[in-house]
């Protein structure tokens, strides 16, 4: 039984290594095309692809749904909604607030398993994150 388990683990590791190598070769080709949006270097493209694999995304989905900010990979708003919506009881509500005619905050409220959740992001949050 242990031999079978070790062989299965070796097969899994071999597949992961092949996927890893394939993704890196693909990253080089995509970066050379200069059509990868905000991801410029093969290493940036590779990181996005690897991150997206965790969500079972194709490489191209990863490049369209992610962006780099302050040395980290982040989801676009559309991608985040795509991950949240299948688990929500109903579509979320979005409330945008203004102060003195200027954008001030955005609050998203959603229901999951009968419990309401709410997340807010203010203009000060955006400034602190270097988005503005």
């Amino acid at each position: 039984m242990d031999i079978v388990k070790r062989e299965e683990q070796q097969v899994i590791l071999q597949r992961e290594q092949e996927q890893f190598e394939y993704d890196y070769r693909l990253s080089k080709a995509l970066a050379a095309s200069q059509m990868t949006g905000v991801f410029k270097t093969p290493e940036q493209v590779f990181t996005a692809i690897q991150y997206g694999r965790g969500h079972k995304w194709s490489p191209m989905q990863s490049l369209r749904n992610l962006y780099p900010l302050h040395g980290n990979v982040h989801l676009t708003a559309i991608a985040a909604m795509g991950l949240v919506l299948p688990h929500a009881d109903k579509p979320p509500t979005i409330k945008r607030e203004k102060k003195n005619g200027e954008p001030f905050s955005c609050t998203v409220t959603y229901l999951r398993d009968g419990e309401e959740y709410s997340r807010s992001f203010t203009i000060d949050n955006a400034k602190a994150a270097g988005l503005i």
Side-chain angles (χ1 to χ4, degrees):
M1 188 83 167
D2 282 337
I3 292 172
V4 171
K5 221 175 205 179
R6 272 189 258 143
E7 287 176 359
E8 288 173 357
Q9 288 174 340
Q10 287 176 337
V11 168
I12 290 169
L13 288 173
Q14 179 67 31
R15 284 185 190 148
E16 287 178 358
Q17 182 178 351
E18 289 170 1
Q19 182 72 67
F20 188 88
E21 290 170 1
Y22 169 81
D23 286 348
Y24 193 71
R25 285 192 315 272
L26 178 64
S27 298
K28 287 181 177 180
L30 289 171
S33 77
Q34 298 181 352
M35 297 180 71
T36 53
V38 293
F39 298 101
K40 303 298 182 198
T41 67
E43 293 80 9
Q44 289 174 339
V45 173
F46 179 76
T47 300
I49 289 171
Q50 290 301 299
Y51 187 96
R53 293 256 184 239
H55 295 293
K56 301 199 181 336
W57 292 344
S58 72
M60 299 315 285
Q61 285 175 301
S62 299
L63 295 174
R64 302 256 319 145
N65 289 306
L66 300 169
Y67 66 95
L69 180 66
H70 301 301
N72 208 337
V73 178
H74 297 271
L75 296 167
T76 63
I78 297 292
M81 292 297 283
L83 294 174
V84 170
L85 279 177
H87 305 286
D89 296 345
K90 63 179 185 177
T93 59
I94 300 170
K95 180 181 176 188
R96 293 175 180 89
E97 292 184 80
K98 289 186 176 191
K99 278 195 176 176
N100 301 323
E102 296 293 320
F104 176 73
S105 70
C106 177
T107 302
V108 177
T109 304
Y110 60 97
L111 201 61
R112 184 185 300 180
D113 298 327
E115 191 170 335
E116 186 174 280
Y117 295 88
S118 190
R119 300 289 182 266
S120 293
F121 195 78
T122 67
I123 201 74
D124 289 336
N125 296 136
K127 287 176 184 174
L131 299 172
I132 296 176

